[in-house]
Every structure is written in C-alpha cells, then in structure tokens.
Amino acid sequence: MITLLALSGSLRLGSSNTVLLEAAALLAPAGMRIAAYDGIGSLPHFNPDLDGDNPPRSVMALRHLVGAADGLIISCPEYARGIPGSFKNALDWLVGSSEFPGKPVALFNASPRASDAQAALRLVLTTMSARIVEEASITLPLLATRMDAAGMAGNVEIAASVTAALAAFARAIETFAQAEPGGLG
C-alpha cells in the first residue's frame, strides 16, 4: 500500500487546490491511499528557538505524518507572485526535520497562472532535498470552475490527468523504494 499525504497551500474553504487534492483521493488507484493534512493554519509561526528538544505538538504531528507517508502531493495557490505565508511556514518547520529530505513530491497546480508560485515552490522544495517527480506533477485550468471533488473526479479530462499523475507517482515511489534498503514503509 502506497500512502500519500496531501498538502494544500490554501487555507480557504473550497479552494480549488484543496478540492483538486480531494479529487485525487477519490481517483486513487487500488493500492494507494491519500490522506489530507489540514493543520497548516494551526501551526505556530516558525521560530528556531522553539525547534529544540521539545517542538510544538502540532509541528511534531506534521513531521510524523510526513515521515509515515511514502510521498507528498502538494497543491499550492499563488499569492502576490509567491507561496502563501502559511504554507511557507509549514515548509519552514520541515526544513530541519529528518523526515523530509529525499521525500518524493508531486506538484498539482490548479491554475496555469500560478507559475511564479510553482517556481518558488520548486526552489524551496529542491533546497529542502525533496525528490520532485516531474512525471507526476500537473497543471490544470481549474480556477473559477467551482467544481467539487466529485465533479472533478467525474470530469473525463481532469480525471485522466490526475489518474495519469498518480500512476506516474506510484511508479516513481516504487522505483525509489527498490533502490533503498527497507522498501516502502
């Protein structure tokens, strides 16, 4: 069983980024489970002084979920041509963790206009030693479509793109696992 953790960079209820991740969970193939992380808004502001021997519980919970996942799916909007502050804050809490480096990541983008945020996100994730899986990273024109997850999953074009991305991600994760001692966790 491949376990993926879905991280939305948006705190907005009904965000196209969040809904895209929910649709991915509906479209997950047999042998894959996608769980959403919804605690980004409750993380404290990153402060290295708090990241010692006893980090905040919410930070430890995020790190545990990241460590337990075989890969991450990230869908992040663009605010002022960059990554939303709350999402960057979550990434900052993962920078010094042992759970994140080498983690396979698929980037789902809900708007072709969010290219600056995607570039910034790629830079940050690469700096953090993520394994961005290009074949599993997609951009879909979902801005202002107002579809729910079931509508996206039922849309032939969207479903085909998401399904192909998930299959590519599964293949990449399995390839990485075969190359590492211990395989899939």
Side-chain angles (χ1 to χ4, degrees):
M1 175 70 72
I2 294 175
T3 302
L4 303 179
L5 183 64
L7 301 167
S8 175
S10 178
L11 299 179
R12 189 173 58 81
L13 190 62
S15 156
S16 56
N17 292 281
T18 303
V19 173
L20 175 57
L21 294 172
E22 291 168 354
L26 294 175
L27 293 165
M32 178 183 284
R33 183 170 94 47
I34 300 174
Y37 174 72
D38 63 359
I40 289 175
S42 65
L43 293 170
H45 293 291
F46 177 72
N47 179 343
D49 292 338
L50 299 176
D51 197 20
D53 294 333
N54 192 20
R57 284 186 186 168
S58 57
V59 171
M60 292 303 296
L62 171 60
R63 290 177 177 170
H64 173 74
L65 290 171
V66 167
D70 297 307
L72 308 177
I73 303 175
I74 296 173
S75 188
C76 187
E78 180 172 301
Y79 293 156
R81 298 185 69 186
I83 304 166
S86 57
F87 193 70
K88 178 61 168 71
N89 183 60
L91 294 176
D92 288 343
W93 279 113
L94 294 172
V95 167
S97 74
S98 61
E99 297 84 1
F100 189 86
K103 191 64 67 175
V105 174
L107 297 176
F108 282 23
N109 184 357
S111 172
R113 295 188 319 194
S115 59
D116 290 324
Q118 288 296 298
L121 188 56
R122 285 175 183 279
L123 178 63
V124 170
L125 291 170
T126 302
T127 301
M128 293 172 63
S129 299
R131 289 181 173 179
I132 298 175
V133 179
E134 296 300 335
E135 306 81 37
S137 297
I138 56 174
T139 297
L140 300 170
L142 302 177
L143 197 60
T145 61
R146 304 219 187 275
M147 277 191 261
D148 63 7
M152 285 185 194
N155 179 290
V156 174
E157 292 176 14
I158 295 170
S161 293
V162 171
T163 302
L166 293 175
F169 202 30
R171 285 190 302 273
I173 289 170
E174 289 168 355
T175 300
F176 296 149
Q178 290 172 0
E180 296 173 6
L184 289 175

